[in-house]
Amino acid sequence: MIYKVLYQTSELDNPRREFTNSLYMDAASSIEVRQAVEKNTDYEIEFIQELDEKHLEYEKKSPEFKLTEF
């Protein structure tokens, strides 16, 4: 399953769209995604979204779409 992780690079920033970044991961569960992100980065996770086929096809059209591997 592909997951979209919305995060901020600083815990001091207010959670606003201007400060939010995203990454995409292939994992068995959102728990696995959270553990990998927390272990390998200092990101402040805002939200983890499981992408169904329709949303995944939409996200793949973005030039920023790239699966992250840790």
Side-chain angles (χ1 to χ4, degrees), residues 41 47 62 64:
T41 70
F47 187 70
S62 169
E64 287 91 36

Side-chain angles (χ1 to χ4, degrees), residues 5-46:
V5 180
L6 300 172
Y7 68 92
Q8 293 187 18
T9 55
S10 171
E11 64 184 37
L12 302 176
D13 291 336
N14 290 325
R16 293 194 325 240
R17 186 178 194 156
E18 296 85 24
F19 301 126
T20 301
N21 300 296
S22 61
L23 64 84
Y24 303 89
M25 289 186 66
D26 187 5
S29 70
S30 62
I31 294 170
E32 186 178 314
V33 171
R34 182 174 293 279
Q35 289 172 342
V37 172
E38 288 177 349
K39 178 181 177 185
N40 296 291
T41 70
D42 291 328
Y43 298 160
E44 297 295 319
I45 298 173
E46 289 181 19

